[in-house]
Amino acid sequence: MTEKTMSPFANPEQRLAKLSMAELSSLYDAVDLARQTLGGIVNQPRFFRGEDYNGAGAELEGLIDALNEFAGAAVDVAKTASPSDPDAVAQRAWLLLKYSVRCGDSLTAHAAEAAGMAAQVEMLKKLEAGA
């Protein structure tokens, strides 16, 4: 099995680490949209048998779980990355904020996190301009 034919859900971290921050953020957005879309589809009556998922519903739920893990891998790669380019730092910040907002419920925490990331991007821009 080649890297191109390998399941995208099998150990994605090594492949994702090769992506730029912009590519990683775009991939996260696409996976998030797929998760949301499948979440809407699986909640249709045709995927239930009584109160529980039928076979097709269970398969879709498994696919949603795999997409959740894949999106988590993209976030983990972004968390461990150390970009020095201001644009890449900004892309990383957006990705981490999107994930944080999706998982949390504290506006104060999100505002503080965003302010810290914005300050880091601005500092890097000033350092780059002064170099």
Side-chain angles (χ1 to χ4, degrees), residues 5-71:
T5 62
M6 189 182 308
S7 168
F9 304 118
N11 303 314
E13 289 84 1
Q14 287 181 325
R15 291 188 320 281
L16 297 181
K18 297 175 186 175
L19 301 180
S20 70
M21 278 301 129
E23 291 170 331
L24 199 59
S25 183
S26 294
L27 179 64
Y28 178 86
D29 289 344
V31 171
D32 191 46
L33 180 59
R35 293 187 300 184
Q36 291 177 40
T37 301
L38 286 174
I41 292 169
V42 77
N43 284 305
Q44 295 177 12
R46 64 185 174 156
F47 293 105
F48 284 88
R49 183 179 305 119
E51 296 290 317
D52 298 321
Y53 288 124
N54 62 21
E59 290 297 323
L60 282 177
E61 189 64 21
L63 183 54
I64 293 167
D65 289 344
L67 287 171
N68 284 334
E69 290 179 21
F70 190 76

